[in-house]
Amino acid sequence: MNATGLIGFLVIGLLAGWIANNLMKGGGMGLVGNLIVGVVGALLGGWLFSLLGFTAGGLVGALIVAVVGACVLLWIISLIKK
């Protein structure tokens, strides 16, 4: 992965973390928290979508996969916190 790809991945992760945090009422984790949730969520979402046989292409597809993964991650975290 080159520098441009890495920056794109981080930007998508940041956006996905912020969107998922707002959708799931995550409690405002801040910039770094949103970035971590978004990046881990992107990896989780990519894994889940590949298990289901779906592929996401382009920027919008990658963002959707990352948001879904981040929402799943926040849901799992909320189950653990209880």
Side-chain angles (χ1 to χ4, degrees):
M1 179 181 294
N2 59 15
T4 306
L6 179 62
I7 291 171
F9 185 72
L10 293 176
V11 168
I12 287 175
L14 181 61
L15 284 172
W18 179 77
I19 292 169
N21 194 24
N22 286 327
L23 288 174
M24 301 293 289
K25 307 286 190 260
M29 294 181 283
L31 183 68
V32 174
N34 285 341
L35 179 63
I36 292 169
V37 167
V39 169
V40 173
L43 296 172
L44 178 63
W47 179 71
L48 289 173
F49 272 62
S50 70
L51 284 178
L52 298 173
F54 295 113
T55 58
L59 183 65
V60 174
L63 184 60
I64 290 170
V65 168
V67 168
V68 169
C71 286
V72 169
L73 179 63
L74 288 174
W75 176 69
I76 291 170
I77 290 170
S78 73
L79 288 177
I80 293 171
K81 277 186 170 180
K82 290 181 182 180

